[in-house]
Amino acid sequence: MHLPRQLGPLHDLPDTPEAYDAVLADVTEQALARLTPEGNLEHPDCVDDIGDTSLGITSLLALAWQRGKDPRLPEAVHRSLAFHLRERVYVEDNPGYPNLTVRNSGLPYARYVLESGAHPIGDWPSTVWALLHAVNILDAAEGLVADEQRAELVELACGYWRWLTEATFFNPQEAGNQAIGCIVGGLMLAPHLPPDEGKSLRARAISLYVDKIRDRRVSDRGAALPPEHGGAYDNNYGPISLSFLAQAHRISGEEIFAEDGEALAHYLDARLTNGGYDNGGPRYSEQHSAFESVLGLRYFGHRIGSDLGRYRGDSRWARGAVKQDGGIDGHFAWMLVWQIQDTTRWHRTPSTRPLRHQLRAGTVSVAFDDKMTPSLVEAAGTYYLPAAVNRQHGFGPVTDGFLLCRPMGEVRVRDLRTGARTAKLVTTPVVGRDHVLRHVRSLYVTDGTTLWVAVAVEHLDGTPYLLAGLPYATDDGDRVHRTAEAGAVTSAGPLRLTHPRAEGTDHFDARSDTTQEQAAFALAADPRGYGNPDEGWRHLVSSTALEADPAPGAPEGLSVFAVRYGGDGDAGFAPVFEATPEGLLVRTESFTAVIGDPAGDAHGEPELTLLD
């Protein structure tokens, strides 16, 4: 089976002015055919995420008129805007909405579901979206929207802003993308107000960003990130937050948005594989966004000098939100407007800057988690997740059922790049069940096509092995195919692929049709769509796993494991290990490395030498 939403790198979408004009032409024809006598542009099948969608299509028509002056569009914009102002503006409190701070304020808001009291929890983001559609129409209103209708729209947008910032708790879902979107709406509304009012609103928006978003960022892998539904980063919403930060910087010029966007971009670059596949998040695990991410990935990829466009998105939403029949929906329409307006080009070459939480070269990449344990390994077109044993997750030595990868002290990292190879040495102090402190030295070396991993630790009794990953997916053209095969993997010691002996949701067998996201949601405490799949996945007891036994010929007092991912499967893999005064010498068929003593140099930093 193919993973449903990893459908191709986003930088493969044509983004020339001609391509965007063709997109708007298609939107125009769909909208004119759909427009009801009342002026409604909502998709007939739309039920939720609906209260702002007709206005979203109107904003796209306004942009299309601005670019092409199609004579059919002024009347369509007038009628559809009148419909929203007349039929989709709500001022009476939605029964059951829990996040109001002022009852019966009379301020306007947009509904997530039109029926009174039906799932009101989504009204806050729907109102943010409606505000953003409104300011996009205002930006294109010159010569298109009559003065009376424009004045009504400005008043409505001001009401939306006040409802979001005065009548409700700000960011009630702890969703960074929604909150930053609200700030963008305020920044875009400010220029449409009298100077003093606009200046005050702009200052209020920036203050809210600092106090309610920036000061509440959460840390992951050394980066401060906008919180997303209670977590640090989400594959669907994280890149959307990046797009909001890009728009905030584009329209305001405030350096704070550039700084925070670059921090998020560097983080995303570090966790993202070469092939663009990623997984994990507090709301969605594998449900990647698509056109909503383009602005941020393109804008900040250019700023940090890295190919963020490799992000593998859901190309079914390549240009805009669509329903099952492929018909356009107004949801997130502002992202399409902004990416058309932005002229930044894709940066298509990888950054050469070493990143602590990433090893990357050619078609090989290793993303490391906060504890410097691999969170995703990519080699020879296959993606490996951390495996699970006895409720413990990661890559590392296992002895007596205990996984030695959780740090008990500071993790040291040394990056090294030679002409042909890129390497990373990670030294992790760990404590086993015997309460003995050991130093796990993990060496990762790649030439861009093959990944060599050597792990050395003070001697382990019994029958230790290296937990070397859960083979999960392989590239299949633009698609990603589920797999239960290890691919081209070779070990210096005996290698085996094991599967859980027990059945149940907390035992993940890669041979099943269950995706990581489905299993994670099944293990989460809350329903799918609201639960935290990252938290759910942590309840996994066991999984399919590659297990590599110790390599023969290790120096006395050490257990050494060596695994090669990718490369020529017929080439022999019999690495030699030798204790030298400088440290542990590792000689493979391709290179020689010397891993320094765990004590490191004068500052305790690990020493690494790499020779061809």
Side-chain angles (χ1 to χ4, degrees):
M1 60 175 288
H2 286 105
L3 295 178
R5 296 181 181 272
Q6 286 71 42
L7 303 179
L10 292 182
H11 62 205
D12 287 352
L13 296 172
D15 61 352
T16 62
E18 294 76 16
Y20 283 134
D21 283 338
V23 171
L24 290 174
D26 178 56
V27 171
T28 295
E29 297 307 321
Q30 287 193 53
L32 292 177
R34 181 186 300 171
L35 186 65
T36 67
E38 296 79 19
N40 190 352
L41 286 170
E42 293 159 1
H43 191 285
D45 295 338
C46 195
V47 175
D48 53 20
D49 276 322
I50 187 174
D52 64 281
T53 59
S54 180
L55 192 64
I57 300 294
T58 305
S59 73
L60 291 172
L61 296 182
L63 178 64
W65 180 84
Q66 193 180 52
R67 289 169 68 90
K69 297 300 188 291
D70 186 328
R72 300 173 296 171
L73 292 182
E75 175 62 19
V77 168
H78 171 76
R79 286 172 53 195
S80 60
L81 182 53
F83 168 80
H84 182 85
L85 294 169
R86 183 180 67 249
E87 302 289 344
R88 292 296 180 260
V89 176
Y90 297 85
V91 294
E92 295 180 355
D93 294 352
N94 200 351
Y97 186 66
N99 299 318
L100 292 176
T101 59
V102 178
R103 295 288 180 187
N104 303 313
S105 68
L107 293 171
Y109 65 94
R111 285 188 174 177
Y112 177 75
V113 176
L114 298 182
E115 181 184 350
S116 181
H119 201 76
I121 198 71
D123 290 354
W124 205 87
S126 291
T127 304
V128 175
W129 295 180
L131 171 61
L132 293 170
H133 298 319
V135 292
N136 279 327
I137 294 171
L138 290 173
D139 282 350
E142 184 70 29
L144 176 64
V145 178
D147 290 346
E148 182 179 348
Q149 206 174 39
R150 181 190 177 281
E152 192 174 354
L153 186 58
V154 169
E155 182 180 1
L156 175 64
C158 290
Y160 283 153
W161 170 258
R162 291 189 59 201
W163 187 86
L164 291 164
T165 60
E166 298 176 21
T168 69
F169 288 99
F170 185 82
N171 190 19
Q173 297 183 29
E174 294 184 76
N177 75 98
Q178 299 172 10
I180 304 171
C182 180
I183 301 306
V184 171
L187 293 172
M188 294 183 69
L189 175 59
H192 296 284
L193 303 180
D196 288 346
E197 293 180 33
K199 183 178 180 180
S200 175
L201 195 155
R202 177 188 170 102
R204 170 71 170 147
I206 294 174
S207 175
L208 277 171
Y209 178 76
V210 172
D211 296 339
K212 300 291 188 178
I213 303 173
R214 195 171 205 256
D215 286 354
R216 301 184 184 186
R217 289 180 297 174
V218 290
S219 177
D220 186 40
R221 310 183 197 195
L225 307 171
E228 195 52 69
H229 288 282
Y233 176 83
D234 186 285
N235 276 320
N236 185 55
Y237 294 124
I240 295 174
S241 284
L242 191 67
S243 288
F244 277 130
L245 287 168
Q247 180 66 1
H249 185 248
R250 288 183 66 238
I251 61 176
S252 74
E254 292 287 341
E255 194 60 25
I256 190 173
F257 299 118
E259 292 173 1
D260 294 354
E262 288 178 14
L264 177 54
H266 282 301
Y267 169 86
L268 194 154
D269 191 26
R271 68 175 289 150
L272 193 61
T273 58
N274 287 299
Y277 171 73
D278 189 15
N279 79 300
R283 182 70 181 271
Y284 294 113
S285 211
E286 293 181 322
Q287 293 194 41
H288 290 45
S289 52
F291 81 100
E292 318 101 289
S293 306
V294 167
L295 174 65
L297 295 170
R298 196 171 63 192
Y299 189 84
F300 283 109
H302 181 80
R303 286 187 67 92
I304 71 170
S306 192
D307 55 339
L308 297 184
R310 70 187 189 276
Y311 183 92
R312 198 188 290 261
D314 187 345
S315 56
R316 292 173 298 183
W317 278 32
R319 299 302 191 182
V322 295
K323 292 300 183 185
Q324 290 287 342
D325 63 359
I328 189 72
D329 183 16
H331 192 49
F332 279 83
W334 20 266
M335 285 297 193
L336 180 56
V337 171
W338 300 339
Q339 66 165 282
I340 291 174
Q341 293 171 336
D342 179 54
T343 58
T344 306
R345 311 316 308 158
W346 286 111
H347 184 96
R348 295 181 177 273
T349 56
S351 169
T352 58
R353 170 190 175 192
L355 297 176
R356 177 179 174 88
H357 294 92
Q358 178 199 72
L359 174 73
R360 182 185 178 205
T363 58
V364 170
S365 59
V366 183
F368 297 86
D369 65 16
D370 221 21
K371 298 177 175 61
M372 288 306 297
T373 295
S375 62
L376 192 55
V377 172
E378 173 194 23
T382 299
Y383 301 97
Y384 302 86
L385 303 178
V389 57
N390 294 338
R391 302 183 186 274
Q392 305 160 95
H393 299 201
F395 288 73
V398 178
T399 177
D400 190 27
F402 190 87
L403 175 59
L404 297 170
C405 73
R406 290 173 299 283
M408 186 63 72
E410 191 67 25
V411 179
R412 308 288 187 130
V413 178
R414 174 63 59 91
D415 286 286
L416 187 63
R417 188 185 298 269
T418 67
R421 290 173 183 81
T422 303
K424 187 183 293 285
L425 175 62
V426 179
T427 301
T428 308
V430 299
V431 174
R433 286 202 174 100
D434 55 8
H435 290 220
V436 173
L437 176 67
R438 292 178 171 88
H439 295 271
V440 178
R441 291 176 285 170
S442 303
L443 173 65
Y444 305 87
V445 180
T446 181
D447 61 0
T449 59
T450 303
L451 173 67
W452 292 268
V453 178
V455 178
V457 62
E458 287 87 342
H459 178 71
L460 301 171
D461 293 326
T463 55
Y465 63 89
L466 182 74
L467 198 63
L470 155 63
Y472 179 68
T474 59
D475 286 332
D476 184 13
D478 281 344
R479 302 297 301 273
V480 179
H481 195 274
R482 282 278 281 105
T483 188
E485 302 296 328
V489 181
T490 311
S491 172
L495 180 71
R496 57 192 169 272
L497 181 65
T498 65
H499 302 286
R501 296 179 181 178
E503 296 182 356
T505 54
D506 52 358
H507 301 278
F508 186 81
D509 193 326
R511 296 171 297 183
S512 73
D513 288 341
T514 305
T515 66
Q516 185 272 345
E517 182 182 71
Q518 290 169 334
F521 270 119
L523 292 168
D526 297 310
R528 179 180 172 85
Y530 301 99
N532 184 334
D534 274 359
E535 185 178 90
W537 187 252
R538 285 193 284 271
H539 293 300
L540 197 68
V541 174
S542 66
S543 73
T544 293
L546 270 175
E547 299 177 356
D549 286 345
E556 185 177 357
L558 288 179
S559 293
V560 181
F561 309 87
V563 178
R564 183 181 66 192
Y565 301 81
D568 184 356
D570 296 328
F573 184 56
V576 174
F577 308 99
E578 180 181 342
T580 72
E582 291 76 26
L584 175 65
L585 182 144
V586 180
R587 182 180 295 116
T588 73
E589 76 285 1
S590 180
F591 64 87
T592 298
V594 179
I595 304 172
D597 185 89
D601 62 16
H603 302 285
E605 296 298 328
E607 295 182 295
L608 175 62
T609 303
L610 190 62
L611 304 171
D612 291 340

